[in-house]
Amino acid sequence: MKLTIGAIALAAAFTAPELSQAQDIDWQQQSGTTLKLLFNEHPWTEGLRPHIEEFEALTGIDVELTALAEDLYSDRMNLAVRSKKSVADVYFVPMDGAAYEQYQAGAMTSLTPYIDDVSKTAADYDLADIPASFRLGATFPPGDPSAELYSMPIAFEAYTLFYNKEIVDEYLDGVVPTTMDDLVAAAQMITEESGGKIFGATMRGQRSASLVDTLTGVVLNDWGGAEATLPQNIWFDGDWDKPRFNDPKIASGLAHYAGLLKAGPPNILSFNWSDASRFFSQGRAAFFIDASLFGPGFEDPASSKIAGNVGYAPLPAANGNVGHHGHWLWGLSVPANSENADAAWLFIQWATSKEMDVAIGKSTGGAPRLSTWDNADYTSSLDAGYVTALQTAMLNTNPTVVFTEGWGEVVIQIVDTIHEIYAGKDPQEAVESLQVRAVEVLQ
């Protein structure tokens, strides 16, 4: 089931920021303004830089870009949007609990009034070209029919199966498993038969809340077509008073995750995302489930020993059903303390237009517009299998977020449950204990 919110099924649209097009709004309406951008130093930011002068020429707006390394950006961003004095006009926001906290603090500007205003948004912006489920990560209040959009997606990651073609050829006669049960069994068989030379899988295993999106992606896959609405996602039955951590489908998803960990190296429970991805890029594992954004890097011979030898696929079916694909996104937002919100919206609609989505998306491999994935100029820069896997994911995807205070502490309890199953505990027994611990944390 694909999630939608009626309030953001808007007809406003825009195509390209070319001077010869999109003349139905006055692109010079904020000419003379100086716009301050506060961005994460991200591939999207690198993709944007060569085009900033195009925006300045189109609009007469001067742009000042500050980009910080991710470990510095989060703290600076949170201070900036809560500052009494305006520090930024457009900023990068994780479309997850971080955005929700800023919304609750009144620190974000709704974009919906701008999208609805025909004098501020060009007629062919085409919001529907960005999947409705992508917008849910910053549509607040979550689940409310009158909810509004507070961030525009710029780069997404879907939880994807990467595989080493050479290892799959050697051990599985080139056949990639089509069910999660078979994938786990194949991964464990490869580990056993290789004699320690290679391993069947690598995964994030560290006891950390950073596992939240990957593990939720795996559980969403086991969840099948059942509903998983926000703000509770799969973990509650539509109400905070109805936790369902002990649902058999959740037990199955966590067991699949633990089974893949079991096929990894002995120290896998210490692996973070960088350890797991590096292990795969060194050619030491047959399978890896994680964010799609790793794909382009695996194809870079300067940093990857497996360039040209990587396969990509949606997560295999579980419990007899094709489940939801999980995703996470970065977005662009306007802080409530901005003094130049109108100019900020001109920048956001330009930067997220169809043309710029193609141009900047080449740097990320995670362009959020459906039309971009049908654009040969974009897809020719990516592996064909990667393109097919991501096109499939975009058509049936759910956010991995949960909007509630203290969710990071619950994630630690979920990771502990995976570790218990890894150590041999029965999956259903493990989630029964999880049900009790998670409820205690949230009380």
Side-chain angles (χ1 to χ4, degrees), residues 90-385:
V90 181
Y91 70 106
F92 259 48
V93 63
M95 293 179 66
D96 57 18
Y100 187 55
E101 288 178 9
Q102 292 174 15
Y103 160 75
Q104 288 186 307
M108 305 177 84
T109 297
S110 172
L111 302 182
T112 297
Y114 291 94
I115 297 168
D116 284 337
D117 191 333
V118 296
S119 70
K120 295 177 180 178
T121 300
D124 51 357
Y125 182 65
D126 197 5
L127 184 66
D129 190 37
I130 300 172
S133 58
F134 281 7
R135 291 174 264 144
L136 288 176
T139 299
F140 306 129
D144 189 323
S146 62
E148 298 189 355
L149 183 61
Y150 284 78
S151 188
M152 197 62 72
I154 56 172
F156 84 95
E157 53 191 61
Y159 297 92
T160 302
L161 175 64
F162 303 95
Y163 59 93
N164 185 308
K165 294 179 182 178
E166 198 171 83
I167 298 174
V168 169
D169 285 345
E170 180 179 354
Y171 286 89
L172 302 175
D173 296 325
V175 179
V176 178
T178 57
T179 71
M180 284 298 290
D181 286 344
D182 288 346
L183 177 68
V184 171
Q188 294 181 355
M189 179 272 288
I190 290 170
T191 298
E192 292 169 4
E193 292 194 1
S194 74
K197 183 177 66 172
I198 57 171
F199 293 88
T202 180
M203 299 283 287
R204 304 189 197 203
Q206 190 178 65
R207 188 178 188 265
S208 166
S210 66
L211 268 70
V212 58
D213 300 299
T214 309
L215 73 84
T216 304
V218 173
V219 177
L220 276 166
N221 185 61
D222 271 73
W223 195 250
E227 195 168 12
T229 55
L230 298 183
Q232 296 92 0
N233 214 311
I234 52 180
W235 308 100
F236 296 79
D237 191 7
D239 191 294
W240 296 115
D241 293 328
K242 298 178 180 178
R244 55 184 180 191
F245 295 87
N246 57 353
D247 189 288
K249 295 187 291 296
I250 289 178
S252 176
L254 299 183
H256 284 140
Y257 198 106
L260 291 170
L261 288 176
K262 199 72 174 176
N267 61 336
I268 197 167
L269 296 190
S270 68
F271 275 23
N272 60 24
W273 66 264
S274 59
D275 300 317
S277 61
R278 183 170 55 250
F279 196 83
F280 184 75
S281 70
Q282 291 171 345
R284 301 188 64 191
F287 299 108
F288 176 45
I289 291 176
D290 214 293
S292 54
L293 64 83
F294 291 116
F298 291 151
E299 300 297 344
D300 182 0
S303 58
S304 173
K305 293 182 180 180
I306 55 175
N309 191 40
V310 182
Y312 308 89
L315 300 194
N319 300 318
N321 297 308
V322 175
H324 297 292
H325 300 283
H327 70 257
W328 184 91
L329 305 102
W330 281 107
L332 294 182
S333 292
V334 180
N337 60 15
S338 170
E339 298 173 353
N340 301 299
D342 284 11
W345 169 245
L346 287 178
F347 176 84
I348 290 175
Q349 71 164 305
W350 169 81
T352 60
S353 66
K354 288 182 178 179
E355 182 180 78
M356 294 311 301
D357 197 54
V358 171
I360 302 175
K362 293 177 183 178
S363 299
T364 68
R369 284 187 174 272
L370 292 166
S371 61
T372 302
W373 291 86
D374 288 324
N375 186 303
D377 187 34
Y378 175 77
T379 57
S380 63
S381 66
L382 300 168
D383 179 90

